[in-house]
Each structure stands twice: as C-alpha cells, then as structure tokens.
Amino acid sequence: MLERLNGNEKGDAVVSVRGYEPLWTRFTPSYELKKVYFKEGKADIGKREARLFKKKDYVFDIHMKPGESEADKQMAKFEQAEREQVEAEKKIEEERLVNLDAQWDDLKAEIDLALEGIEKVLDGKDVKALRAARFENKTTLLYARMEEYDMTTAGKIQKAADAISERLLKILDLQKSI
C-alpha cells in the first residue's frame, strides 16, 4: 500500500506521531494554492535583479566585543598565536639552560671529586695553593708541582690534572653554547 500511496497524484502521506495512531491524509501542494500565497495578479513572475549579499550585515559573532571589527578579531587571534609561540620558545630556552646548568654541575662535581682525591697525596702548602688557585689555573698548578714529587705520586697528579683539564674543556664548550 505504501508503494502505491501516491500513484499518479501527489500529496498523499502517512503521518506517524509517537503516541498516536498513524494517519493517512492528503496535502495540497503549495503551487496549487496560488490564491492563498499570491493574491490575484500579485505574483511577480518577471525577472528579478540579483543583489549582492553582505554577510556582515546579517551575521554577527556573539563572542565579538561591541565596536570590534572582524579585522580586529583576526589581529587579536594573530597576536595571541604570536604570544603563544614566544612563550613556547621561551620555555624551550629555559629547559635548555636548565639542562646546561645540570651538565655544568655534573662536570664541577667531577672536578671537585678529582681535586679531593689528589689533595690526599699533596703536601699541605700545595693543598693550600691548589684551593686558593682559580678554577681554570688548578691544572697548571698541578702540572708545575709534579716535578717536586716521586714518580708514583707525579703519575697520580698528572692523571688527575688530565681529567680536570678534560672536564674544563667541556665546561668551556658549555659556556660557548650559552
């Protein structure tokens, strides 16, 4: 029955609403209701002129502030994106500096450990001179004092001085990368 509902004519329909029995009815198409929609002689069948549609005259953004234009809104979005990019770059740079600080601290701790170990074999005056020397001059002092000690002790001093010198070079590389 639903297959043949409209047949050659149009307008038959079954209306089904939840809670009510289905209803079979006939609707009159709007083109047959000219007298209802267009009063006699009032229908304009002639050609109409096309008018440009300006979206901004009909559509508005509920998030836009009063007096704010679309260009202002786009500029604000651009500036926000730019601020976010600057913040991301700043965060990356801060993380890089924290990483460099950690590397610096590790190298400093290794140097201090080597100095503690070598202080055990040095004389008291050499220990005082080593502690008083600037960080970058400690290896020079150790190399200079090697000839005052026996071969075994001099070998330990040279080994410690070489290790300290190697770490100082790494510290210089870290300084250059800042």
Side-chain angles (χ1 to χ4, degrees), residues 57-71:
D57 292 341
Y58 298 95
V59 178
F60 66 94
D61 186 353
I62 62 173
H63 297 291
M64 199 177 298
K65 297 174 181 86
E68 183 181 39
S69 69
E70 187 65 29

Side-chain angles (χ1 to χ4, degrees), residues 38 41-48:
F38 305 107
K42 296 287 184 180
D44 184 15
I45 301 174
K47 184 178 177 184
R48 289 188 192 180

Side-chain angles (χ1 to χ4, degrees), residues 30 32-39:
S30 62
E32 291 181 7
L33 296 172
K34 291 184 231 176
K35 291 182 182 173
V36 174
Y37 292 108
F38 305 107
K39 300 290 183 203

